[in-house]
Amino acid sequence: MKVAVLSFAHVHAATYIELLRDRSDIELITTDPDAPPGDPTRGKTLADELGITYRAGYEEVFAERPRAVIVTSENARHRQLVEQAATVGAHILCEKPIATTEHDARAMIDACEHAGVSLMTAYPVRFHPAFTALRHTLADGSLGRLLSVHGVNNSRPPGLARPWFADPDLAGGGAIMDHTLHIADLLDVLLDGEQPTKVYAVANTLLTPDGEEEPKVESAGLLTLTYAHGLVATIDCSWSHPSSHPNWGGLTLTCVGQRALAEFDAFPPLLDGYDTTQATIRWEPGAIDLDAAMLDSFLDAARTGRRAHPDGETGLRSLRTVLAAYESLRTSQPVVTAGAV
């Protein structure tokens, strides 16, 4: 099956490529025409380093009519690439956020529905077996009624390696846009699609890296989500890990029910050894390869023609929470959402 990776802008692009390039069932082609000149982490330079087939532009890729494409461009460029891919009949895995506006997200969903292709949103954490266990614990009544959820998704500032993450025109926002979405998706799963009725957000730029003048996006954020039946959820979505932190980032959920409390850690650190060259303890995340699990699900959907999940509608629901958070920042007030209707 021919699979194309469109753009190397996102930090996950290289990971997806490395997972696909050596598979005997995949013919991989790539392109990254929007790469900044001279950037060693993008374009043909990266393709040569990874030993993969590279095309000069998107039109060349689409002319080969791939069965599936993975969109890992800057957030604001998702719509154009998804619509082009749908036109040639390719099934699509789109990096999160699905888009930076609801209008663009709806247009992408409609284009894929019209073309009869799957649009999958890249939410790998929901494929974690420990999260599946958490879902079962909630479903079988062990927790009782869910009262509150505290979600944390923190990392180092991605703009240090990829400056576009801190460009509001290309990224659509900062830490809130980047790190709210995974938690919002997990809440979507746990609550069977129920949406918050109110979203309140606070944010600042205090965690902006030293030397960055007049930051254009927030580097730290905290959201409070209120649901119709009294559940309150919070999301810490900050770029708060220093460069010295042993892991790039992490994601946790603390779920408080009437009967019990359950905690989920997507990337629990495991002691791996002592690095004598730097006199530091080396830690490795203790988890399955979530990206590989997500790709397997996507590729299976592309082969069989079944609808991929999480789909575009899922991506749109979590995007709405982010957009409500930004409206709350603008007004300094809680925002009543469509979930209240």
Side-chain angles (χ1 to χ4, degrees):
M1 182 169 64
K2 184 172 289 186
V3 178
V5 173
L6 307 179
S7 178
F8 303 158
H10 201 280
V11 293
H12 289 158
T15 300
Y16 299 152
I17 289 169
E18 290 173 338
L19 288 169
L20 294 171
R21 68 180 175 188
D22 297 326
R23 290 181 56 147
S24 60
D25 60 335
I26 298 297
E27 178 188 351
L28 182 64
I29 57 176
T30 66
T31 188
D32 188 24
D34 299 315
D39 187 340
T41 67
R42 295 189 57 181
K44 193 172 186 306
T45 301
L46 178 62
D48 290 344
E49 178 184 331
L50 296 175
I52 52 174
T53 301
Y54 186 81
R55 303 292 186 237
Y58 298 122
E59 295 304 327
E60 289 188 31
V61 169
F62 292 131
E64 297 188 37
R65 304 189 72 84
R67 175 71 173 175
V69 304
I70 301 173
V71 176
T72 41
S73 66
E74 298 87 347
N75 300 339
R77 292 174 172 151
H78 287 178
R79 177 181 174 179
Q80 176 187 352
L81 295 178
V82 166
E83 289 180 334
Q84 285 183 274
T87 299
V88 301
H91 298 280
I92 302 150
L93 172 63
C94 184
E95 186 55 67
K96 61 86 183 169
I98 185 173
T100 58
T101 69
E102 181 165 350
H103 176 75
D104 282 354
R106 175 50 60 190
M108 294 160 62
I109 294 168
D110 291 347
C112 292
E113 291 287 351
H114 179 74
V117 299
S118 284
L119 173 59
M120 182 176 180
T121 308
Y123 286 139
V125 182
R126 62 160 57 196
F127 292 91
H128 202 302
F131 180 68
T132 300
L134 174 61
R135 291 178 62 190
H136 291 163
T137 300
L138 181 62
D140 69 15
S142 298
L143 289 180
R145 184 169 67 88
L146 200 56
L147 303 176
S148 70
V149 179
H150 176 53
V152 178
N153 188 191
N154 296 158
S155 77
R156 300 171 193 167
L160 293 175
R162 307 284 173 136
W164 70 264
F165 273 94
D167 182 336
D169 293 331
L170 291 176
I176 288 177
M177 180 65 78
D178 187 35
H179 277 327
T180 296
L181 293 157
H182 284 303
I183 301 292
D185 178 59
L186 299 183
L187 287 169
D188 188 81
V189 175
L190 292 176
L191 301 176
D192 295 323
E194 181 184 353
Q195 297 301 287
T197 57
K198 291 182 180 179
V199 176
Y200 179 67
V202 292
N204 61 51
T205 60
L206 297 177
L207 300 179
T208 299
D210 292 339
E212 184 174 325
E213 298 180 1
E214 298 181 5
K216 298 178 181 179
V217 296
E218 73 286 351
S219 55
L222 182 65
L223 278 59
T224 302
L225 316 180
T226 305
Y227 291 81
H229 301 294
L231 172 69
V232 176
T234 61
I235 302 176
D236 178 347
C237 50
S238 305
W239 292 335
S240 56
H241 285 193
S243 58
S244 59
H245 197 278
N247 293 325
W248 163 262
L251 187 151
T252 62
L253 287 179
T254 301
C255 300
V256 180
Q258 287 180 315
R259 297 179 178 175
L261 179 148
E263 296 183 325
F264 163 66
D265 189 340
F267 307 103
L270 302 178
L271 180 60
D272 185 60
Y274 188 80
D275 188 337
T276 56
T277 62
Q278 300 182 22
T280 59
I281 294 175
R282 186 173 69 244
W283 296 85
E284 298 293 340
I288 68 165
D289 193 327
L290 301 179
D291 290 327
M294 178 183 68
L295 286 177
D296 284 343
S297 179
F298 169 63
L299 295 174
D300 180 67
R303 283 194 184 91
T304 62
R306 68 171 176 80
R307 189 179 185 91
H309 290 283
D311 60 11
E313 293 288 354
T314 304
L316 175 55
R317 288 197 299 271
S318 51
L319 176 64
R320 284 175 176 150
T321 296
V322 170
L323 298 178
Y326 282 117
E327 179 63 21
S328 177
L329 288 181
R330 285 189 288 270
T331 63
S332 299
Q333 296 294 325
V335 171
V336 177
T337 69
V341 178

